[in-house]
């Protein structure tokens, strides 16, 4: 049990109300600042972004847009059309421009693909990113492949292939690394899935966190984008929000067959990017930016690794294996995740995500993002303090009993 003063208890209830209003996602930092002005948010460990990448983008933005007065162009002029922005990415991604679809965030691509191409049946691993089942249209059957706690919520590829063969869905979804637990499936295993299930019309691989994953100590990027030409049923979904820390500008892209891109463009999406997102995409494809980004990507991966190792040392919690920039943490028995999250926010100003609303998770969980090394140190101290405080209390109570 975590103790709260009556004033704190009121804040806890308010937080639960705000979370309920935000549905399956978390209330934004703007909402919290506005509606929960009695707490000061010092560290946002709910949003899963690389803070060094955000700083890098701001450095370029200040120099090339703000200080030159080009901001006016971004606001006054129409951005380029979807296919023009796709062309600027083609060479950098080594993908034919006709296979690239630009989205107003990855969420728009998920919505477009699920609404337009998923007709009969979809298999979704749970726990998952909720939009994949929320956007499914009425009449489409959803089969949940439950990832098991005993397997650390990692995908068992053989039984997954069997399941897909048994149900023969028209769509399957793999988030790699998965959100909310960060479990990673190696490229060779995903290739095996692609080989075994050619009858599935859409194999969606969501790589929103792929920049944090690696398979050896060179930390090379593991994306499947280049396989789209080989497997016409592969749909790669890529959000820029997390690895580049730019969720506010809404930028994402999908790699898919030319016929799917054409079909979506016939239905709209002409100017679905904005001026700022276009500037970001053009920057992303530039060699000078890519070089600087690669430095902050690897720096962040290394710090993240260290953070996860240190979290594993914290007594009483279970830290699930993760190749993403966040970890799923199971709390000790007797501690409600909503209370723990409230305590971290009220006492330490740290905002983390409650994970008790995720279907497929059995227990009290939180999801914690890795931030800068200074912030990570503060998060570790605060979690330890929070746990020691509550665990000691528990011991005291036992002795009294
Ligand atoms: C955050 C997230 C998205 C959505 O990203 P946006 O580009 O911000 O729309 C999609 N898929 C997964 C798995 C995510 O975690």
């Amino acid at each position: 049990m975590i103790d709260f003063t009556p004033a704190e208890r009121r804040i806890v209830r308010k937080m639960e109300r705000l979370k309920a209003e935000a549905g399956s996602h978390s209330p934004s930092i703007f909402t919290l600042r506005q509606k929960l002005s009695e707490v000061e948010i010092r560290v946002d460990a709910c949003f899963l972004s690389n803070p060094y990448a955000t700083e890098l983008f701001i450095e370029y933005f200040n120099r090339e847009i703000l200080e030159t007065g080009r901001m006016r162009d971004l606001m006054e002029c129409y951005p380029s059309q979807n296919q023009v922005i796709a062309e600027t990415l083609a060479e950098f991604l080594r993908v034919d421009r006709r296979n690239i679809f630009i989205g107003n965030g990855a969420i728009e691509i998920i919505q477009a693909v699920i609404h337009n191409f998923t007709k009969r049946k979809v298999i979704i691993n749970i726990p998952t990113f909720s939009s994949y089942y929320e956007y499914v249209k009425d009449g489409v059957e959803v089969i949940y492949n439950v990832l098991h706690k005993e397997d650390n919520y990692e995908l068992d590829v053989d039984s997954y292939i069997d399941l897909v063969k048994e149900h023969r869905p028209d769509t399957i979804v793999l988030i790699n690394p998965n959100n909310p637990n960060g479990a990673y499936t190696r490229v060779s295993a995903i290739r095996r899935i692609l080989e075994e299930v050619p009858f599935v019309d859409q194999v969606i691989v969501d790589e929103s966190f792929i920049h944090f994953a690696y398979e050896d100590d060179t930390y090379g990027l593991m994306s499947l984008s280049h396989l789209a030409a080989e497997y016409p049923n592969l749909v790669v979904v890529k959000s820029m929000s997390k690895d580049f820390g730019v969720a506010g500008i809404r930028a994402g892209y999908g790699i898919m067959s030319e016929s799917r891109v054409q079909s979506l463009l016939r239905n709209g999406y002409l100017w679905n990017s904005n001026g700022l997102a276009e500037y970001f995409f053009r920057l992303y494809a530039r060699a000078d930016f890519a070089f600087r980004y690669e430095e902050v990507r690897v720096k962040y991966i290394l710090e993240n690794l260290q953070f996860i190792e240190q979290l594993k040392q914290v007594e009483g919690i279970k830290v699930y294996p993760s190749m993403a920039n966040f970890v799923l943490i199971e709390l000790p028995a007797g501690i409600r995740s909503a209370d723990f999250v409230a305590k971290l926010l009220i006492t330490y100003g740290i905002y983390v995500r409650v994970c008790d609303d995720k279907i497929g998770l059995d227990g009290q969980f939180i999801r914690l993002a890795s931030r800068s090394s200074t912030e990570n140190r503060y998060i570790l101290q605060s979690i330890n303090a929070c746990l020691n405080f509550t665990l000691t209390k528990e011991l005291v109570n036992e002795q009294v009993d």
Side-chain angles (χ1 to χ4, degrees):
M1 277 285 290
I2 295 184
D3 287 335
F4 292 104
T5 64
E8 287 178 337
R9 195 38 80 196
R10 273 195 298 280
I11 299 178
V12 177
R13 276 199 292 274
K14 212 159 149 189
M15 283 176 67
E16 285 177 311
R17 214 160 43 239
L18 290 173
K19 173 74 186 85
E21 282 167 13
S24 45
H25 300 277
S26 301
S28 77
I29 205 95
F30 303 110
T31 308
L32 286 185
R33 286 200 183 120
Q34 189 190 353
K35 301 199 169 159
L36 211 62
S37 50
E38 54 274 55
V39 300
E40 187 206 350
I41 300 171
R42 295 172 60 186
V43 178
D44 181 355
C46 177
F47 180 53
L48 313 168
S49 71
N50 177 351
Y52 304 123
T54 312
E55 281 156 25
L56 179 63
F57 177 69
I58 291 173
E59 176 195 317
Y60 272 82
F61 176 79
N62 285 344
R63 193 170 61 231
E64 298 184 349
I65 304 293
L66 273 191
E67 289 161 18
T68 58
R70 277 180 61 206
M71 192 65 201
R72 182 178 177 123
D73 291 346
L74 294 196
M75 288 190 290
E76 191 170 33
C77 307
Y78 275 91
S80 297
Q81 295 185 9
N82 200 308
Q83 285 307 276
V84 175
I85 300 179
E87 190 162 4
T88 67
L89 299 189
E91 194 184 334
F92 177 70
L93 296 174
R94 300 207 200 112
V95 172
D96 191 300
R97 67 178 170 78
R98 286 167 297 204
N99 295 126
I100 303 175
F101 176 76
I102 302 295
N104 189 274
I107 202 85
E108 187 178 54
I109 300 160
I110 297 170
Q111 184 180 338
V113 169
I114 298 274
H115 279 182
N116 287 280
F117 308 128
T118 300
K119 300 268 159 56
R120 288 185 297 108
K121 198 192 277 191
V122 55
I123 296 188
I124 295 170
N125 301 324
I126 53 169
T128 189
F129 183 65
S130 59
S131 303
Y132 281 104
Y133 55 84
E134 288 166 349
Y135 290 172
V136 166
K137 286 208 244 180
D138 289 346
V140 173
E141 188 185 351
V142 180
I143 311 254
Y144 291 113
N145 174 43
V146 182
L147 301 169
H148 296 287
K149 198 170 184 170
E150 316 75 272
D151 300 337
N152 285 328
Y153 300 111
E154 288 171 323
L155 184 72
D156 176 341
V157 175
D158 291 318
S159 67
Y160 182 71
I161 291 172
D162 289 345
L163 186 84
V164 177
K165 285 181 174 168
E166 178 194 337
H167 287 283
R168 302 190 77 85
D170 62 1
T171 305
I172 61 176
V173 178
L174 297 162
I175 304 176
N176 200 33
N178 195 20
N179 182 2
N181 55 321
Y184 177 69
T185 307
R186 292 177 81 88
V187 169
S188 55
I190 299 202
R191 232 185 210 280
R192 193 146 64 80
I193 297 171
L194 284 163
E195 286 295 326
E196 294 275 350
V197 300
F199 53 86
V200 175
D201 295 332
Q202 281 84 227
V203 177
I204 301 178
V205 180
D206 183 324
E207 298 192 336
S208 294
F209 298 95
I210 201 71
H211 285 208
F212 308 125
Y214 51 90
E215 294 194 2
D216 59 37
D217 57 10
T218 62
Y219 304 103
L221 198 59
M222 302 315 303
S223 173
L224 295 185
S225 304
H226 62 286
L227 293 184
E230 206 175 321
Y231 300 96
N233 56 348
L234 175 63
V235 175
V236 176
V237 173
K238 179 81 193 98
S239 167
M240 316 312 282
S241 299
K242 319 295 169 46
D243 29 34
F244 289 87
V246 293
I249 71 178
R250 314 305 304 128
Y253 59 83
I255 313 254
M256 56 189 94
S257 65
E258 181 180 355
S259 64
R260 283 194 190 83
V261 174
Q262 288 308 322
S263 156
L264 293 178
L265 291 176
R266 269 198 305 278
N267 288 312
Y269 306 108
L270 184 67
W271 280 309
N272 60 339
S273 287
N274 58 71
L276 192 52
E278 178 172 4
Y279 170 68
F280 170 78
F281 277 126
R282 290 183 183 275
L283 197 55
Y284 170 56
R286 259 167 51 186
D288 57 327
F289 181 79
F291 181 80
R292 297 276 313 276
Y293 169 69
E294 192 55 21
E295 288 176 343
V296 295
R297 184 178 75 87
V298 175
K299 168 185 157 87
Y300 182 61
I301 288 179
L302 295 173
E303 291 185 2
N304 184 22
L305 247 169
Q306 191 188 17
F307 182 50
I308 295 179
E309 281 311 311
Q310 289 165 336
L311 279 168
K312 284 187 188 155
Q313 312 296 320
V314 177
E315 249 172 83
I317 59 173
K318 170 153 170 109
V319 177
Y320 284 83
S322 170
M323 269 264 180
N325 61 334
F326 56 84
V327 278
L328 184 69
I329 294 179
E330 190 172 0
L331 298 172
I335 298 187
R336 249 174 31 106
S337 54
D339 288 347
F340 190 74
V341 164
K343 192 83 199 171
L344 275 180
L345 185 62
I346 295 167
T347 312
Y348 303 97
I350 299 172
Y351 181 37
V352 307
R353 193 191 193 295
V354 190
C355 262
D356 55 1
D357 59 326
K358 286 267 178 194
I359 54 167
L361 283 183
D362 175 23
Q364 291 296 312
F365 292 89
I366 60 167
R367 191 193 62 196
L368 176 65
S370 170
R371 302 297 304 166
S372 69
S373 51
T374 322
E375 288 179 319
N376 286 349
R377 256 195 307 281
Y378 177 65
I379 295 171
L380 264 164
Q381 284 167 359
S382 308
I383 287 187
N384 265 313
C386 228
L387 282 169
N388 283 337
F389 172 70
T390 57
L391 291 179
T392 322
K393 272 271 167 134
E394 219 106 283
L395 285 179
V396 171
N397 285 345
E398 268 170 31
Q399 279 160 9
V400 173
D401 291 346

